[in-house]
Amino acid sequence: NAGVTQTPKFQVLKTGQSMTLQCAQDMNHNSMYWYRQDPGMGLRLIYYSASEGTTDKGEVPNGYNVSRLNKREFSLRLESAAPSQTSVYFCASNLAGGGTDTQYFGPGTRLTVL
Amino acid sequence: GENVEQHPSTLSVQEGDSAVIKCTYSDSASNYFPWYKQELGKRPQLIIDIRSNVGEKKDQRIAVTLNKTAKHFSLHITETQPEDSAVYFCAASIGTGGFKTIFGAGTRLFVKA
């Protein structure tokens, strides 16, 4: 049981480049989330997927797109990276729907945009 | 929308002392309040949570209290140990599943041996 996994662990992009961050969970959770973490600002929700087939915007969705590929996988895409998107990105999941609301986080992706 | 404020931003205590971190939230509909601990370079991990129908919850050396009227909730760590040194985040969410969880900015706790 690997929990929540993310790839890659580190990435350096040039301004304007695109990339996709991958996330997968093997806990049969219904809901998945993407957060970014910046110094002194805690975790901010980018997008979430309450259940397979649905996605919704969080606090800071501009510049990002997401895909809930299936129940296990939730990807985050940066179409044209900007230096302001330099951050640590965390994927998370939880059971939702009446179960515990605890969110389980992946190990994070450290992204630098030059 | 929901806003969560967390204080202090940094807290330094002697080993064995108690540490208290306080949070306030703005949306009275919030009903789930988790606390996460994040060690340097690691992922956030839940340490304790409380729901709006409970005023206090304890788990060994950590406890959380909730005052719904004042929209305050606090984390209490007793008999602190060096391994408690980390960043602690409070959060508030609405609805089953906490689809939109709003996090505080974090408190960096240093426990001096």
Side-chain angles (χ1 to χ4, degrees), chain B residues 12-65:
Chain B
S12 185
V13 299
Q14 286 293 138
E15 183 178 2
D17 287 351
S18 294
V20 180
I21 302 170
K22 298 182 179 182
C23 290
T24 60
Y25 61 99
S26 60
D27 194 330
S28 57
S30 293
N31 60 4
Y32 175 63
F33 306 92
W35 285 88
Y36 288 85
K37 175 183 180 182
Q38 186 178 29
E39 296 176 352
L40 189 63
K42 301 286 182 65
R43 72 190 78 187
Q45 291 193 297
L46 182 82
I47 54 171
I48 195 167
D49 56 11
I50 192 167
R51 298 184 187 280
S52 58
N53 58 349
V54 175
E56 184 174 358
K57 185 176 179 181
K58 189 173 182 181
D59 183 3
Q60 298 182 346
R61 295 187 297 109
I62 59 173
V64 58
T65 58

Side-chain angles (χ1 to χ4, degrees), chain A residues 56-89:
Chain A
D56 280 292
K57 296 177 181 179
E59 290 179 83
V60 289
N62 291 344
Y64 306 94
N65 284 301
V66 291
S67 294
R68 183 75 182 266
L69 304 169
N70 47 56
K71 190 170 185 179
R72 291 187 62 248
E73 298 172 289
F74 189 37
S75 63
L76 178 72
R77 182 159 179 84
L78 287 70
E79 290 291 352
S80 179
S84 60
Q85 294 178 304
T86 293
S87 189
V88 180
Y89 291 85

Side-chain angles (χ1 to χ4, degrees), chain A residues 19-25 30-34 46-57 61 64-79 91-92:
Chain A
M19 78 161 296
T20 300
L21 282 65
Q22 307 286 355
C23 174
Q25 52 89 11
N30 293 307
S31 303
M32 298 184 73
Y33 310 80
W34 277 105
I46 304 171
Y47 270 93
Y48 68 97
S49 171
S51 60
E52 186 179 356
T54 69
T55 61
D56 280 292
K57 296 177 181 179
Y64 306 94
N65 284 301
V66 291
S67 294
R68 183 75 182 266
L69 304 169
N70 47 56
K71 190 170 185 179
R72 291 187 62 248
E73 298 172 289
F74 189 37
S75 63
L76 178 72
R77 182 159 179 84
L78 287 70
E79 290 291 352
C91 176

Side-chain angles (χ1 to χ4, degrees), chain A residues 4 31 33 35 37 40-43 45 48 50 57-59 90 94 96-103 105-107, chain B residues 2 31-32 36 38 41-46 49 51 87 89 93 95-106:
Chain A
V4 182
S31 303
Y33 310 80
Y35 292 92
Q37 184 175 36
M41 299 189 73
L43 291 144
L45 184 63
Y48 68 97
K57 296 177 181 179
E59 290 179 83
F90 286 99
N94 66 355
T100 177
D101 293 321
T102 302
Q103 291 190 30
F105 286 83
Chain B
E2 175 68 281
N31 60 4
Y32 175 63
Y36 288 85
Q38 186 178 29
K42 301 286 182 65
R43 72 190 78 187
Q45 291 193 297
L46 182 82
D49 56 11
R51 298 184 187 280
V87 178
F89 293 98
S93 68
T96 301
F99 296 133
K100 287 191 176 181
T101 298
I102 305 300
F103 286 79

